[in-house]
Structures are given as structure tokens and as C-alpha cells.
Amino acid sequence: MFLFLVILQFITALFCFSAGIVLFFIFRKTGKKFVLHGSEILFSFFLLSLSALSGRIADMIGAVPPVFYFAVNFVFSPLFILGLSGCVFDLVSVPEHARIRLILDFYGVFFVCFYAVVWFTGKFEELKLLLNIVCIWGPCAAALIYTGIRWKKFRSGLFYSGRLLAFWLAVVNFTCLTAGLLFHALADISPYLCMTSFSLLILVLIFKNYFSPFRTDSNNSILSPSAAFCKTYGITLRERDIICAVLAGKQNKDIAQSLFISVKTVESHLGNIYRKTGAANRLELFSLLSQ
């Protein structure tokens, strides 16, 4: 059991760190804040699994300096709270400057201060359960309840199937985490299985909707408008991406997911493409590109 947990925590740390790095670079490219919030959650998962893994290794090779645990948890706490609240608010379409977002930001700062006071006064072990409730159980329960209240908003938007799977993963994990109060094995295993599942889900969504190549022809070359075509009709780089996606047989919703833009933005770009090329629809655009 000990070896199994070490391997599980190592795999969790590896997948969460990898997915977090990928999301961070996508944020650098797109500037989408919900991508940044997702990377914050993944990095907090990485720190949590790293802390647990260090504890397991310490049982074999000796004690890990207490300051290491303090530093890891000090960073983990605000990352998790702010990342989780940010993602939930993004998924249920809460305005960027809404008061509730500001309240959660202050809550993250408050918890960091509270944690530091608890640590330096030597009360950490006595208040460990309270800290877990305030930092993990409380925010998770609030996120699930708030998502349930605004379920119609949650179900709309991009990555419909992915967000539903993520929600039920969260429900299962929270249930197992709570049951872990009675069954210790569940408390040890379920969080890391869930974190690994989340990171794999995110990596799959990224590969499917962001990095996956467009359809290729019989020579295995990507179907795309030529440089001459783009120059002749004044096609921009973003419009070229849209045309490539159209050539791949993607519908507007799929294109929006692939390029991290809204369906309305896709429709606007397609309108500009049709106007510039004189094509009335996809079929005419195909015919024009095949000439």
C-alpha cells in the first residue's frame, strides 16, 4: 500500500505539473483568464501531491525540513482557492468585476494570513483539520453548491461534455474525501485519483481542441489556403485558421473550441471571409479554394 501511494502521488504530481505548464503557455498565447485559473488549480494540485510525496519519502530517508511544508502549503492555499473560485465564476458567467469575485480574493488573502499565524504560533497540528476544512472542503463544497444553483449557466458555453465530466469528477471526489473521515484508505487514495483524472481530462481537451492537426489530404499535407490565395483576398492569419478548420470539416462550435474564441466571433470571421472572397457559403468557398 505504501509503494502504491508513492507511485500514485508521483504520477499525480507529474501529470498535474505537465498540464499546468501547457495551460500556462496557452494563457500566454490567448490571454484567456479562465485558462490561467485552470493552471492555478493544476499547480496547486502539483504542490499538494508534492507535499504528500515528500512526506512518504521522508518516512524512508529521514525528515524533511518543516519549512518546506510551510512554503508548499503557503503557496498551495491561495492558488487553490483563487483558481477554483475563478474557474467556477468563469464557467457560470459571473462578470469580471462582480463583488463576489472580490470577496473570494479577500478570502484567499485572509486564509494565507491565518495559515501563517497558525504555523508560527505552533498550532498547526492542533488546527490541521480546521485548516483543511477552510482551505479545501469548504471551497469545494461552496463551488459545487454554487455550480448547482447556476446549473443552466454552467451547461452553456464551450467544452460542454468536458465540463460535465469535470463536475461529476468533483462530486465523486468530494464524496470520497468526506467519506475518508470514516474510511482512511479513501482519504489517502481518492484525492490523487481525482487530481490525476482532472489533469488527464484537461490534457485530452487541449489536444483535441487546441493542438490537434487539421484534416490532411492524400499526401498527408495539411489542407489550407495558399499564400497567394490569402494575399489575393486579404485573408488575415486568424481568418486563415478559420478556413483551415472549415476545410477540416469542423462546425462553428468546434472551431470556437479549437481556437478559444466564441461562436459569434467565428461567425463574424466567416462573414468577413465570405465578403472578401465573394463566396456565399462553405461549398462555394471549397470550390474557390480548389481552383
Side-chain angles (χ1 to χ4, degrees):
M1 185 65 175
F2 177 84
L3 181 60
F4 172 75
L5 282 173
V6 169
I7 294 173
L8 178 60
Q9 289 163 353
F10 175 78
I11 291 173
T12 301
L14 179 64
F15 281 138
C16 290
F17 182 77
S18 301
I21 288 292
V22 172
L23 272 191
F24 180 74
F25 279 112
I26 291 178
F27 165 71
R28 292 285 301 274
K29 184 178 179 66
T30 65
K32 300 292 185 180
K33 284 194 174 181
F34 75 89
V35 178
L36 176 62
H37 296 319
S39 68
E40 289 172 346
I41 292 179
L42 287 168
F43 283 131
S44 72
F45 285 169
F46 165 71
L47 290 173
L48 183 62
S49 53
L50 180 66
S51 177
L53 182 62
S54 300
R56 300 286 175 185
I57 295 175
D59 292 339
M60 296 185 294
I61 63 174
V64 175
V67 68
F68 170 80
Y69 293 114
F70 170 75
V72 167
N73 286 288
F74 190 78
V75 176
F76 157 77
S77 304
L79 273 181
F80 180 73
I81 293 171
L82 298 179
L84 178 65
S85 61
C87 274
V88 170
F89 291 149
D90 291 338
L91 291 174
V92 298
S93 304
V94 174
E96 187 67 31
H97 300 292
R99 182 176 299 177
I100 191 171
R101 285 184 182 262
L102 185 62
I103 292 173
L104 264 296
D105 289 343
F106 278 118
Y107 179 79
V109 174
F110 163 77
F111 181 83
V112 168
C113 297
F114 177 63
Y115 177 78
V117 170
V118 168
W119 181 272
F120 285 110
T121 55
K123 302 291 185 180
F124 179 77
E125 289 300 326
E126 298 177 26
L127 299 176
K128 189 174 182 179
L129 179 60
L130 176 61
L131 291 172
N132 284 334
I133 292 173
V134 174
C135 176
I136 300 176
W137 278 314
C140 286
L144 291 174
I145 293 170
Y146 192 71
T147 301
I149 292 172
R150 304 196 60 170
W151 186 249
K152 288 185 178 179
K153 285 286 187 180
F154 177 76
R155 291 185 62 180
S156 63
L158 301 178
F159 309 117
Y160 171 71
S161 59
R163 67 173 63 197
L164 283 180
L165 180 56
F167 175 79
W168 289 114
L169 274 175
V171 170
V172 170
N173 183 65
F174 184 75
T175 303
C176 292
L177 194 64
T178 305
L181 294 173
L182 300 174
F183 306 100
H184 187 67
L186 283 176
D188 283 340
I189 296 174
S190 64
Y192 303 103
L193 289 176
C194 188
M195 287 187 285
T196 302
S197 300
F198 270 119
S199 58
L200 286 174
L201 172 63
I202 290 171
L203 287 172
V204 168
L205 287 173
I206 291 169
F207 177 78
K208 180 180 178 182
N209 298 292
Y210 194 79
F211 290 117
S212 58
F214 293 120
R215 191 180 64 187
T216 59
D217 60 17
S218 58
N219 296 320
N220 203 36
S221 59
I222 296 176
L223 292 174
S224 62
S226 65
F229 179 91
C230 293
K231 185 176 181 181
T232 299
Y233 293 102
I235 301 298
T236 65
L237 289 176
R238 177 57 85 187
E239 290 167 352
R240 182 181 181 278
D241 291 338
I242 298 289
I243 294 174
C244 287
V246 169
L247 288 172
K250 291 178 178 287
Q251 298 303 309
N252 289 358
K253 186 175 181 180
D254 299 323
I255 296 173
Q257 290 181 344
S258 299
L259 300 177
F260 282 84
I261 56 180
S262 68
V263 174
K264 287 186 178 179
T265 302
V266 173
E267 293 171 348
S268 175
H269 282 306
L270 278 173
N272 290 334
I273 292 168
Y274 293 151
R275 177 179 54 78
K276 290 178 180 180
T277 61
N281 50 46
R282 278 172 161 80
L283 184 60
E284 289 188 14
L285 184 62
F286 288 154
S287 299
L288 188 63
L289 287 163
S290 63
Q291 293 177 359

